[in-house]
Structure formats: C-alpha cells, structure tokens
PDB file of all heavy atoms in Angstrom:
ATOM      1  N   ALA A   1     -24.108  36.489  84.082  1.00 84.00           N
ATOM      2  CA  ALA A   1     -22.815  36.276  84.647  1.00 84.00           C
ATOM      3  C   ALA A   1     -22.015  37.588  84.807  1.00 84.00           C
ATOM      4  O   ALA A   1     -21.353  37.935  85.736  1.00 84.00           O
ATOM      5  CB  ALA A   1     -22.088  35.300  83.881  1.00 84.00           C
ATOM      6  N   TRP A   2     -22.139  38.427  83.716  1.00 84.00           N
ATOM      7  CA  TRP A   2     -21.390  39.702  83.731  1.00 84.00           C
ATOM      8  C   TRP A   2     -22.003  40.586  84.726  1.00 84.00           C
ATOM      9  O   TRP A   2     -21.331  41.308  85.463  1.00 84.00           O
ATOM     10  CB  TRP A   2     -21.404  40.334  82.344  1.00 84.00           C
ATOM     11  CG  TRP A   2     -20.548  39.718  81.388  1.00 84.00           C
ATOM     12  CD1 TRP A   2     -20.872  38.796  80.411  1.00 84.00           C
ATOM     13  CD2 TRP A   2     -19.143  39.951  81.226  1.00 84.00           C
ATOM     14  NE1 TRP A   2     -19.814  38.455  79.667  1.00 84.00           N
ATOM     15  CE2 TRP A   2     -18.735  39.202  80.168  1.00 84.00           C
ATOM     16  CE3 TRP A   2     -18.263  40.730  81.897  1.00 84.00           C
ATOM     17  CZ2 TRP A   2     -17.432  39.084  79.746  1.00 84.00           C
ATOM     18  CZ3 TRP A   2     -16.956  40.693  81.442  1.00 84.00           C
ATOM     19  CH2 TRP A   2     -16.542  39.911  80.441  1.00 84.00           C
ATOM     20  N   LEU A   3     -23.378  40.636  84.903  1.00 87.00           N
ATOM     21  CA  LEU A   3     -24.005  41.408  85.892  1.00 87.00           C
ATOM     22  C   LEU A   3     -23.659  40.950  87.320  1.00 87.00           C
ATOM     23  O   LEU A   3     -23.352  41.751  88.207  1.00 87.00           O
ATOM     24  CB  LEU A   3     -25.466  41.392  85.770  1.00 87.00           C
ATOM     25  CG  LEU A   3     -26.085  42.242  84.613  1.00 87.00           C
ATOM     26  CD1 LEU A   3     -27.622  42.076  84.459  1.00 87.00           C
ATOM     27  CD2 LEU A   3     -25.738  43.701  84.752  1.00 87.00           C
ATOM     28  N   TYR A   4     -23.558  39.695  87.544  1.00 88.00           N
ATOM     29  CA  TYR A   4     -23.129  39.186  88.815  1.00 88.00           C
ATOM     30  C   TYR A   4     -21.734  39.650  89.161  1.00 88.00           C
ATOM     31  O   TYR A   4     -21.492  40.144  90.274  1.00 88.00           O
ATOM     32  CB  TYR A   4     -23.131  37.628  88.790  1.00 88.00           C
ATOM     33  CG  TYR A   4     -22.653  36.988  90.174  1.00 88.00           C
ATOM     34  CD1 TYR A   4     -23.444  36.956  91.216  1.00 88.00           C
ATOM     35  CD2 TYR A   4     -21.283  36.675  90.270  1.00 88.00           C
ATOM     36  CE1 TYR A   4     -23.022  36.405  92.378  1.00 88.00           C
ATOM     37  CE2 TYR A   4     -20.773  36.061  91.297  1.00 88.00           C
ATOM     38  CZ  TYR A   4     -21.695  35.932  92.513  1.00 88.00           C
ATOM     39  OH  TYR A   4     -21.230  35.396  93.631  1.00 88.00           O
ATOM     40  N   ARG A   5     -20.851  39.525  88.210  1.00 87.00           N
ATOM     41  CA  ARG A   5     -19.460  40.001  88.410  1.00 87.00           C
ATOM     42  C   ARG A   5     -19.401  41.568  88.769  1.00 87.00           C
ATOM     43  O   ARG A   5     -18.738  41.939  89.746  1.00 87.00           O
ATOM     44  CB  ARG A   5     -18.618  39.760  87.094  1.00 87.00           C
ATOM     45  CG  ARG A   5     -17.261  40.185  87.321  1.00 87.00           C
ATOM     46  CD  ARG A   5     -16.434  39.813  86.074  1.00 87.00           C
ATOM     47  NE  ARG A   5     -15.125  40.301  86.116  1.00 87.00           N
ATOM     48  CZ  ARG A   5     -14.471  40.958  85.311  1.00 87.00           C
ATOM     49  NH1 ARG A   5     -15.112  41.349  84.169  1.00 87.00           N
ATOM     50  NH2 ARG A   5     -13.275  41.349  85.521  1.00 87.00           N
ATOM     51  N   GLU A   6     -20.079  42.331  88.105  1.00 87.00           N
ATOM     52  CA  GLU A   6     -20.135  43.824  88.320  1.00 87.00           C
ATOM     53  C   GLU A   6     -20.873  44.210  89.599  1.00 87.00           C
ATOM     54  O   GLU A   6     -20.386  45.001  90.378  1.00 87.00           O
ATOM     55  CB  GLU A   6     -20.756  44.463  87.150  1.00 87.00           C
ATOM     56  CG  GLU A   6     -19.862  44.542  85.869  1.00 87.00           C
ATOM     57  CD  GLU A   6     -18.652  45.423  86.102  1.00 87.00           C
ATOM     58  OE1 GLU A   6     -18.649  46.453  86.797  1.00 87.00           O
ATOM     59  OE2 GLU A   6     -17.589  45.097  85.525  1.00 87.00           O
ATOM     60  N   ILE A   7     -22.098  43.587  89.780  1.00 87.00           N
ATOM     61  CA  ILE A   7     -22.987  44.101  90.818  1.00 87.00           C
ATOM     62  C   ILE A   7     -22.620  43.535  92.179  1.00 87.00           C
ATOM     63  O   ILE A   7     -22.636  44.131  93.181  1.00 87.00           O
ATOM     64  CB  ILE A   7     -24.452  43.802  90.536  1.00 87.00           C
ATOM     65  CG1 ILE A   7     -24.887  44.497  89.200  1.00 87.00           C
ATOM     66  CG2 ILE A   7     -25.479  44.132  91.610  1.00 87.00           C
ATOM     67  CD1 ILE A   7     -24.769  45.943  89.270  1.00 87.00           C
ATOM     68  N   VAL A   8     -22.237  42.155  92.141  1.00 89.00           N
ATOM     69  CA  VAL A   8     -21.979  41.539  93.454  1.00 89.00           C
ATOM     70  C   VAL A   8     -20.476  41.525  93.769  1.00 89.00           C
ATOM     71  O   VAL A   8     -20.112  41.984  94.811  1.00 89.00           O
ATOM     72  CB  VAL A   8     -22.540  40.085  93.408  1.00 89.00           C
ATOM     73  CG1 VAL A   8     -22.166  39.314  94.656  1.00 89.00           C
ATOM     74  CG2 VAL A   8     -23.989  40.056  93.216  1.00 89.00           C
ATOM     75  N   GLN A   9     -19.701  41.054  92.818  1.00 89.00           N
ATOM     76  CA  GLN A   9     -18.259  40.852  93.059  1.00 89.00           C
ATOM     77  C   GLN A   9     -17.491  42.113  93.071  1.00 89.00           C
ATOM     78  O   GLN A   9     -16.720  42.395  94.046  1.00 89.00           O
ATOM     79  CB  GLN A   9     -17.667  39.852  92.178  1.00 89.00           C
ATOM     80  CG  GLN A   9     -18.171  38.459  92.357  1.00 89.00           C
ATOM     81  CD  GLN A   9     -17.519  37.489  91.348  1.00 89.00           C
ATOM     82  OE1 GLN A   9     -17.109  37.899  90.316  1.00 89.00           O
ATOM     83  NE2 GLN A   9     -17.593  36.165  91.680  1.00 89.00           N
ATOM     84  N   ARG A  10     -17.620  42.911  92.091  1.00 89.00           N
ATOM     85  CA  ARG A  10     -16.736  44.182  91.972  1.00 89.00           C
ATOM     86  C   ARG A  10     -17.262  45.363  92.792  1.00 89.00           C
ATOM     87  O   ARG A  10     -16.505  46.027  93.364  1.00 89.00           O
ATOM     88  CB  ARG A  10     -16.635  44.487  90.467  1.00 89.00           C
ATOM     89  CG  ARG A  10     -15.816  43.574  89.671  1.00 89.00           C
ATOM     90  CD  ARG A  10     -15.604  43.969  88.343  1.00 89.00           C
ATOM     91  NE  ARG A  10     -14.448  44.873  88.370  1.00 89.00           N
ATOM     92  CZ  ARG A  10     -14.224  45.712  87.282  1.00 89.00           C
ATOM     93  NH1 ARG A  10     -15.016  45.742  86.261  1.00 89.00           N
ATOM     94  NH2 ARG A  10     -13.256  46.513  87.348  1.00 89.00           N
ATOM     95  N   ARG A  11     -18.487  45.574  92.727  1.00 86.00           N
ATOM     96  CA  ARG A  11     -19.052  46.817  93.378  1.00 86.00           C
ATOM     97  C   ARG A  11     -19.750  46.524  94.724  1.00 86.00           C
ATOM     98  O   ARG A  11     -19.939  47.423  95.506  1.00 86.00           O
ATOM     99  CB  ARG A  11     -20.034  47.461  92.378  1.00 86.00           C
ATOM    100  CG  ARG A  11     -19.393  47.866  91.129  1.00 86.00           C
ATOM    101  CD  ARG A  11     -20.200  48.642  90.212  1.00 86.00           C
ATOM    102  NE  ARG A  11     -19.585  48.888  88.940  1.00 86.00           N
ATOM    103  CZ  ARG A  11     -18.637  49.764  88.633  1.00 86.00           C
ATOM    104  NH1 ARG A  11     -18.109  50.412  89.679  1.00 86.00           N
ATOM    105  NH2 ARG A  11     -18.167  49.891  87.466  1.00 86.00           N
ATOM    106  N   GLY A  12     -20.244  45.301  94.965  1.00 86.00           N
ATOM    107  CA  GLY A  12     -20.809  45.011  96.261  1.00 86.00           C
ATOM    108  C   GLY A  12     -22.201  45.717  96.413  1.00 86.00           C
ATOM    109  O   GLY A  12     -22.539  45.891  97.568  1.00 86.00           O
ATOM    110  N   CYS A  13     -22.852  45.992  95.393  1.00 85.00           N
ATOM    111  CA  CYS A  13     -24.064  46.742  95.418  1.00 85.00           C
ATOM    112  C   CYS A  13     -25.244  45.772  96.080  1.00 85.00           C
ATOM    113  O   CYS A  13     -26.116  46.272  96.800  1.00 85.00           O
ATOM    114  CB  CYS A  13     -24.568  47.205  94.102  1.00 85.00           C
ATOM    115  SG  CYS A  13     -23.522  48.438  93.400  1.00 85.00           S
ATOM    116  N   LEU A  14     -25.110  44.526  95.691  1.00 86.00           N
ATOM    117  CA  LEU A  14     -26.097  43.524  96.228  1.00 86.00           C
ATOM    118  C   LEU A  14     -25.264  42.384  96.754  1.00 86.00           C
ATOM    119  O   LEU A  14     -24.171  42.047  96.170  1.00 86.00           O
ATOM    120  CB  LEU A  14     -27.004  43.050  95.143  1.00 86.00           C
ATOM    121  CG  LEU A  14     -28.003  43.901  94.489  1.00 86.00           C
ATOM    122  CD1 LEU A  14     -28.832  43.283  93.440  1.00 86.00           C
ATOM    123  CD2 LEU A  14     -28.924  44.614  95.538  1.00 86.00           C
ATOM    124  N   ASP A  15     -25.751  41.679  97.691  1.00 88.00           N
ATOM    125  CA  ASP A  15     -25.176  40.450  98.164  1.00 88.00           C
ATOM    126  C   ASP A  15     -25.593  39.323  97.248  1.00 88.00           C
ATOM    127  O   ASP A  15     -26.469  39.555  96.451  1.00 88.00           O
ATOM    128  CB  ASP A  15     -25.384  40.167  99.643  1.00 88.00           C
ATOM    129  CG  ASP A  15     -26.810  39.901  99.961  1.00 88.00           C
ATOM    130  OD1 ASP A  15     -27.678  39.822  98.990  1.00 88.00           O
ATOM    131  OD2 ASP A  15     -27.230  39.813 101.133  1.00 88.00           O
ATOM    132  N   GLU A  16     -24.949  38.162  97.367  1.00 86.00           N
ATOM    133  CA  GLU A  16     -25.181  36.979  96.448  1.00 86.00           C
ATOM    134  C   GLU A  16     -26.643  36.450  96.579  1.00 86.00           C
ATOM    135  O   GLU A  16     -27.316  36.191  95.533  1.00 86.00           O
ATOM    136  CB  GLU A  16     -24.200  35.887  96.814  1.00 86.00           C
ATOM    137  CG  GLU A  16     -24.326  34.755  95.796  1.00 86.00           C
ATOM    138  CD  GLU A  16     -23.150  33.799  95.963  1.00 86.00           C
ATOM    139  OE1 GLU A  16     -21.967  34.217  96.216  1.00 86.00           O
ATOM    140  OE2 GLU A  16     -23.434  32.588  95.818  1.00 86.00           O
ATOM    141  N   ASP A  17     -27.231  36.391  97.849  1.00 88.00           N
ATOM    142  CA  ASP A  17     -28.564  35.942  97.881  1.00 88.00           C
ATOM    143  C   ASP A  17     -29.565  36.905  97.262  1.00 88.00           C
ATOM    144  O   ASP A  17     -30.451  36.450  96.591  1.00 88.00           O
ATOM    145  CB  ASP A  17     -28.878  35.791  99.451  1.00 88.00           C
ATOM    146  CG  ASP A  17     -28.168  34.640 100.051  1.00 88.00           C
ATOM    147  OD1 ASP A  17     -27.760  33.636  99.344  1.00 88.00           O
ATOM    148  OD2 ASP A  17     -27.932  34.712 101.261  1.00 88.00           O
ATOM    149  N   HIS A  18     -29.281  38.201  97.419  1.00 88.00           N
ATOM    150  CA  HIS A  18     -30.219  39.119  96.843  1.00 88.00           C
ATOM    151  C   HIS A  18     -30.125  39.096  95.336  1.00 88.00           C
ATOM    152  O   HIS A  18     -31.167  39.268  94.590  1.00 88.00           O
ATOM    153  CB  HIS A  18     -29.838  40.571  97.345  1.00 88.00           C
ATOM    154  CG  HIS A  18     -30.916  41.575  97.128  1.00 88.00           C
ATOM    155  ND1 HIS A  18     -30.979  42.780  97.849  1.00 88.00           N
ATOM    156  CD2 HIS A  18     -32.111  41.508  96.504  1.00 88.00           C
ATOM    157  CE1 HIS A  18     -31.998  43.429  97.465  1.00 88.00           C
ATOM    158  NE2 HIS A  18     -32.727  42.706  96.719  1.00 88.00           N
ATOM    159  N   PHE A  19     -28.863  38.906  94.808  1.00 88.00           N
ATOM    160  CA  PHE A  19     -28.770  38.780  93.396  1.00 88.00           C
ATOM    161  C   PHE A  19     -29.512  37.482  92.762  1.00 88.00           C
ATOM    162  O   PHE A  19     -30.057  37.551  91.752  1.00 88.00           O
ATOM    163  CB  PHE A  19     -27.278  38.767  92.970  1.00 88.00           C
ATOM    164  CG  PHE A  19     -27.103  38.809  91.495  1.00 88.00           C
ATOM    165  CD1 PHE A  19     -27.092  39.939  90.741  1.00 88.00           C
ATOM    166  CD2 PHE A  19     -26.922  37.607  90.842  1.00 88.00           C
ATOM    167  CE1 PHE A  19     -26.933  39.894  89.352  1.00 88.00           C
ATOM    168  CE2 PHE A  19     -26.715  37.570  89.478  1.00 88.00           C
ATOM    169  CZ  PHE A  19     -26.754  38.765  88.660  1.00 88.00           C
ATOM    170  N   ILE A  20     -29.318  36.460  93.482  1.00 88.00           N
ATOM    171  CA  ILE A  20     -29.952  35.229  92.999  1.00 88.00           C
ATOM    172  C   ILE A  20     -31.484  35.336  93.062  1.00 88.00           C
ATOM    173  O   ILE A  20     -32.185  34.850  92.134  1.00 88.00           O
ATOM    174  CB  ILE A  20     -29.501  34.007  93.854  1.00 88.00           C
ATOM    175  CG1 ILE A  20     -27.982  33.674  93.576  1.00 88.00           C
ATOM    176  CG2 ILE A  20     -30.385  32.775  93.570  1.00 88.00           C
ATOM    177  CD1 ILE A  20     -27.376  32.734  94.436  1.00 88.00           C
ATOM    178  N   THR A  21     -32.015  36.021  94.077  1.00 88.00           N
ATOM    179  CA  THR A  21     -33.473  36.286  94.142  1.00 88.00           C
ATOM    180  C   THR A  21     -33.870  37.145  92.935  1.00 88.00           C
ATOM    181  O   THR A  21     -34.843  36.879  92.276  1.00 88.00           O
ATOM    182  CB  THR A  21     -33.783  37.094  95.356  1.00 88.00           C
ATOM    183  OG1 THR A  21     -33.394  36.258  96.542  1.00 88.00           O
ATOM    184  CG2 THR A  21     -35.256  37.360  95.465  1.00 88.00           C
ATOM    185  N   ALA A  22     -33.088  38.132  92.589  1.00 88.00           N
ATOM    186  CA  ALA A  22     -33.323  39.038  91.433  1.00 88.00           C
ATOM    187  C   ALA A  22     -33.305  38.212  90.106  1.00 88.00           C
ATOM    188  O   ALA A  22     -34.186  38.438  89.293  1.00 88.00           O
ATOM    189  CB  ALA A  22     -32.337  40.163  91.405  1.00 88.00           C
ATOM    190  N   LEU A  23     -32.264  37.351  90.048  1.00 86.00           N
ATOM    191  CA  LEU A  23     -32.170  36.533  88.830  1.00 86.00           C
ATOM    192  C   LEU A  23     -33.383  35.501  88.703  1.00 86.00           C
ATOM    193  O   LEU A  23     -33.926  35.406  87.611  1.00 86.00           O
ATOM    194  CB  LEU A  23     -30.827  35.680  88.889  1.00 86.00           C
ATOM    195  CG  LEU A  23     -30.539  34.763  87.636  1.00 86.00           C
ATOM    196  CD1 LEU A  23     -30.519  35.735  86.444  1.00 86.00           C
ATOM    197  CD2 LEU A  23     -29.301  34.054  87.910  1.00 86.00           C
ATOM    198  N   THR A  24     -33.729  35.013  89.786  1.00 87.00           N
ATOM    199  CA  THR A  24     -34.908  34.011  89.758  1.00 87.00           C
ATOM    200  C   THR A  24     -36.196  34.765  89.351  1.00 87.00           C
ATOM    201  O   THR A  24     -36.990  34.344  88.521  1.00 87.00           O
ATOM    202  CB  THR A  24     -35.082  33.385  91.095  1.00 87.00           C
ATOM    203  OG1 THR A  24     -33.929  32.674  91.450  1.00 87.00           O
ATOM    204  CG2 THR A  24     -36.271  32.364  91.104  1.00 87.00           C
ATOM    205  N   LEU A  25     -36.431  35.963  89.963  1.00 88.00           N
ATOM    206  CA  LEU A  25     -37.518  36.793  89.648  1.00 88.00           C
ATOM    207  C   LEU A  25     -37.648  37.197  88.212  1.00 88.00           C
ATOM    208  O   LEU A  25     -38.620  37.221  87.522  1.00 88.00           O
ATOM    209  CB  LEU A  25     -37.681  38.012  90.586  1.00 88.00           C
ATOM    210  CG  LEU A  25     -38.895  38.811  90.491  1.00 88.00           C
ATOM    211  CD1 LEU A  25     -40.170  38.028  90.698  1.00 88.00           C
ATOM    212  CD2 LEU A  25     -38.808  40.034  91.406  1.00 88.00           C
ATOM    213  N   SER A  26     -36.395  37.551  87.653  1.00 86.00           N
ATOM    214  CA  SER A  26     -36.300  38.041  86.303  1.00 86.00           C
ATOM    215  C   SER A  26     -36.637  36.933  85.291  1.00 86.00           C
ATOM    216  O   SER A  26     -37.063  37.159  84.175  1.00 86.00           O
ATOM    217  CB  SER A  26     -34.938  38.644  86.027  1.00 86.00           C
ATOM    218  OG  SER A  26     -34.020  37.676  85.954  1.00 86.00           O
ATOM    219  N   GLN A  27     -36.339  35.666  85.719  1.00 85.00           N
ATOM    220  CA  GLN A  27     -36.624  34.628  84.851  1.00 85.00           C
ATOM    221  C   GLN A  27     -38.079  34.189  84.795  1.00 85.00           C
ATOM    222  O   GLN A  27     -38.581  33.587  83.887  1.00 85.00           O
ATOM    223  CB  GLN A  27     -35.777  33.336  85.254  1.00 85.00           C
ATOM    224  CG  GLN A  27     -34.274  33.638  84.933  1.00 85.00           C
ATOM    225  CD  GLN A  27     -33.397  32.441  85.413  1.00 85.00           C
ATOM    226  OE1 GLN A  27     -33.910  31.669  86.218  1.00 85.00           O
ATOM    227  NE2 GLN A  27     -32.160  32.420  84.876  1.00 85.00           N
ATOM    228  N   VAL A  28     -38.830  34.472  85.970  1.00 87.00           N
ATOM    229  CA  VAL A  28     -40.208  34.165  86.019  1.00 87.00           C
ATOM    230  C   VAL A  28     -41.038  35.220  85.274  1.00 87.00           C
ATOM    231  O   VAL A  28     -42.033  34.791  84.717  1.00 87.00           O
ATOM    232  CB  VAL A  28     -40.664  34.046  87.498  1.00 87.00           C
ATOM    233  CG1 VAL A  28     -42.124  33.919  87.707  1.00 87.00           C
ATOM    234  CG2 VAL A  28     -39.877  32.872  88.152  1.00 87.00           C
ATOM    235  N   LEU A  29     -40.548  36.417  85.240  1.00 86.00           N
ATOM    236  CA  LEU A  29     -41.408  37.533  84.707  1.00 86.00           C
ATOM    237  C   LEU A  29     -41.338  37.448  83.172  1.00 86.00           C
ATOM    238  O   LEU A  29     -40.361  36.950  82.616  1.00 86.00           O
ATOM    239  CB  LEU A  29     -40.914  38.857  85.111  1.00 86.00           C
ATOM    240  CG  LEU A  29     -41.131  39.102  86.657  1.00 86.00           C
ATOM    241  CD1 LEU A  29     -40.370  40.405  87.012  1.00 86.00           C
ATOM    242  CD2 LEU A  29     -42.569  39.294  86.945  1.00 86.00           C
ATOM    243  N   PRO A  30     -42.402  37.782  82.465  1.00 87.00           N
ATOM    244  CA  PRO A  30     -42.255  37.870  80.893  1.00 87.00           C
ATOM    245  C   PRO A  30     -41.356  38.905  80.508  1.00 87.00           C
ATOM    246  O   PRO A  30     -41.110  39.912  81.220  1.00 87.00           O
ATOM    247  CB  PRO A  30     -43.749  38.188  80.552  1.00 87.00           C
ATOM    248  CG  PRO A  30     -44.416  38.785  81.736  1.00 87.00           C
ATOM    249  CD  PRO A  30     -43.644  38.346  82.911  1.00 87.00           C
ATOM    250  N   GLY A  31     -40.768  38.701  79.390  1.00 83.00           N
ATOM    251  CA  GLY A  31     -39.721  39.600  78.844  1.00 83.00           C
ATOM    252  C   GLY A  31     -38.397  38.966  78.815  1.00 83.00           C
ATOM    253  O   GLY A  31     -38.125  37.848  79.251  1.00 83.00           O
ATOM    254  N   ALA A  32     -37.374  39.792  78.371  1.00 85.00           N
ATOM    255  CA  ALA A  32     -36.001  39.261  78.263  1.00 85.00           C
ATOM    256  C   ALA A  32     -35.427  39.240  79.734  1.00 85.00           C
ATOM    257  O   ALA A  32     -35.526  40.334  80.424  1.00 85.00           O
ATOM    258  CB  ALA A  32     -35.197  40.223  77.349  1.00 85.00           C
ATOM    259  N   ASN A  33     -34.854  38.223  80.078  1.00 86.00           N
ATOM    260  CA  ASN A  33     -34.226  38.110  81.432  1.00 86.00           C
ATOM    261  C   ASN A  33     -33.188  39.107  81.723  1.00 86.00           C
ATOM    262  O   ASN A  33     -33.297  39.689  82.879  1.00 86.00           O
ATOM    263  CB  ASN A  33     -33.630  36.635  81.625  1.00 86.00           C
ATOM    264  CG  ASN A  33     -34.665  35.587  81.567  1.00 86.00           C
ATOM    265  OD1 ASN A  33     -35.825  35.741  81.732  1.00 86.00           O
ATOM    266  ND2 ASN A  33     -34.213  34.404  81.352  1.00 86.00           N
ATOM    267  N   PRO A  34     -32.265  39.434  80.853  1.00 88.00           N
ATOM    268  CA  PRO A  34     -31.324  40.489  81.163  1.00 88.00           C
ATOM    269  C   PRO A  34     -31.979  41.899  81.518  1.00 88.00           C
ATOM    270  O   PRO A  34     -31.529  42.637  82.357  1.00 88.00           O
ATOM    271  CB  PRO A  34     -30.356  40.572  79.977  1.00 88.00           C
ATOM    272  CG  PRO A  34     -30.592  39.196  79.371  1.00 88.00           C
ATOM    273  CD  PRO A  34     -31.940  38.870  79.636  1.00 88.00           C
ATOM    274  N   VAL A  35     -32.979  42.183  80.700  1.00 90.00           N
ATOM    275  CA  VAL A  35     -33.625  43.495  80.853  1.00 90.00           C
ATOM    276  C   VAL A  35     -34.399  43.477  82.262  1.00 90.00           C
ATOM    277  O   VAL A  35     -34.380  44.398  82.927  1.00 90.00           O
ATOM    278  CB  VAL A  35     -34.609  43.823  79.735  1.00 90.00           C
ATOM    279  CG1 VAL A  35     -35.328  45.051  79.940  1.00 90.00           C
ATOM    280  CG2 VAL A  35     -33.737  43.913  78.405  1.00 90.00           C
ATOM    281  N   ASN A  36     -35.138  42.367  82.479  1.00 91.00           N
ATOM    282  CA  ASN A  36     -35.877  42.252  83.780  1.00 91.00           C
ATOM    283  C   ASN A  36     -34.893  42.377  84.988  1.00 91.00           C
ATOM    284  O   ASN A  36     -35.164  43.035  85.903  1.00 91.00           O
ATOM    285  CB  ASN A  36     -36.526  40.902  83.791  1.00 91.00           C
ATOM    286  CG  ASN A  36     -37.749  40.786  82.862  1.00 91.00           C
ATOM    287  OD1 ASN A  36     -38.203  41.775  82.378  1.00 91.00           O
ATOM    288  ND2 ASN A  36     -38.126  39.533  82.723  1.00 91.00           N
ATOM    289  N   LEU A  37     -33.676  41.737  84.763  1.00 90.00           N
ATOM    290  CA  LEU A  37     -32.688  41.768  85.869  1.00 90.00           C
ATOM    291  C   LEU A  37     -32.137  43.178  86.073  1.00 90.00           C
ATOM    292  O   LEU A  37     -31.973  43.652  87.154  1.00 90.00           O
ATOM    293  CB  LEU A  37     -31.568  40.798  85.592  1.00 90.00           C
ATOM    294  CG  LEU A  37     -30.510  40.571  86.573  1.00 90.00           C
ATOM    295  CD1 LEU A  37     -31.086  40.066  87.899  1.00 90.00           C
ATOM    296  CD2 LEU A  37     -29.449  39.541  86.046  1.00 90.00           C
ATOM    297  N   SER A  38     -31.841  43.849  84.923  1.00 91.00           N
ATOM    298  CA  SER A  38     -31.409  45.218  85.063  1.00 91.00           C
ATOM    299  C   SER A  38     -32.392  46.175  85.661  1.00 91.00           C
ATOM    300  O   SER A  38     -32.093  47.007  86.527  1.00 91.00           O
ATOM    301  CB  SER A  38     -31.003  45.774  83.686  1.00 91.00           C
ATOM    302  OG  SER A  38     -32.048  45.924  82.869  1.00 91.00           O
ATOM    303  N   ILE A  39     -33.695  45.959  85.331  1.00 92.00           N
ATOM    304  CA  ILE A  39     -34.774  46.811  85.979  1.00 92.00           C
ATOM    305  C   ILE A  39     -34.787  46.528  87.475  1.00 92.00           C
ATOM    306  O   ILE A  39     -34.950  47.434  88.237  1.00 92.00           O
ATOM    307  CB  ILE A  39     -36.111  46.609  85.246  1.00 92.00           C
ATOM    308  CG1 ILE A  39     -36.078  47.180  83.792  1.00 92.00           C
ATOM    309  CG2 ILE A  39     -37.200  47.180  86.046  1.00 92.00           C
ATOM    310  CD1 ILE A  39     -37.250  46.692  82.964  1.00 92.00           C
ATOM    311  N   TYR A  40     -34.769  45.300  87.769  1.00 91.00           N
ATOM    312  CA  TYR A  40     -34.897  44.995  89.216  1.00 91.00           C
ATOM    313  C   TYR A  40     -33.712  45.473  89.977  1.00 91.00           C
ATOM    314  O   TYR A  40     -33.875  46.084  91.023  1.00 91.00           O
ATOM    315  CB  TYR A  40     -34.923  43.400  89.384  1.00 91.00           C
ATOM    316  CG  TYR A  40     -35.125  43.030  90.764  1.00 91.00           C
ATOM    317  CD1 TYR A  40     -36.329  42.891  91.468  1.00 91.00           C
ATOM    318  CD2 TYR A  40     -33.992  42.675  91.548  1.00 91.00           C
ATOM    319  CE1 TYR A  40     -36.468  42.486  92.769  1.00 91.00           C
ATOM    320  CE2 TYR A  40     -34.100  42.271  93.002  1.00 91.00           C
ATOM    321  CZ  TYR A  40     -35.362  42.168  93.469  1.00 91.00           C
ATOM    322  OH  TYR A  40     -35.444  41.837  94.818  1.00 91.00           O
TER     323      TYR A  40
END
C-alpha cells in the first residue's frame, strides 16, 4: 500500500495496471513480496 502510494499516486512512475501486474508477479515469485515488488 505504501509503495502504491509513492510509486503510482505521488510520483507517477508506474500506472495502476502496471503496478498491479508487478504486485501479482511479486506474490507468485518465491521470497518476500515487498522485496520482490521493489526489485521489479
């Protein structure tokens, strides 16, 4: 939620669809979801 706020809402680095794709992918991959999301 904090990453969404920073990356999508405040900075506009990614759009919402791209962020949701990143979040989904980070949950499927092994490892901690926040770390996977940050790497992606």
Side-chain angles (χ1 to χ4, degrees):
W2 285 99
L3 284 174
Y4 176 82
R5 180 175 177 234
E6 285 293 325
I7 300 300
V8 176
Q9 292 179 336
R10 291 185 79 196
R11 301 187 186 284
C13 296
L14 297 177
D15 62 10
E16 189 169 320
D17 290 337
H18 200 165
F19 184 84
I20 291 172
T21 301
L23 180 61
T24 303
L25 184 61
S26 70
Q27 291 175 342
V28 172
L29 294 173
N33 294 343
V35 176
N36 291 343
L37 186 58
S38 67
I39 291 170
Y40 181 87

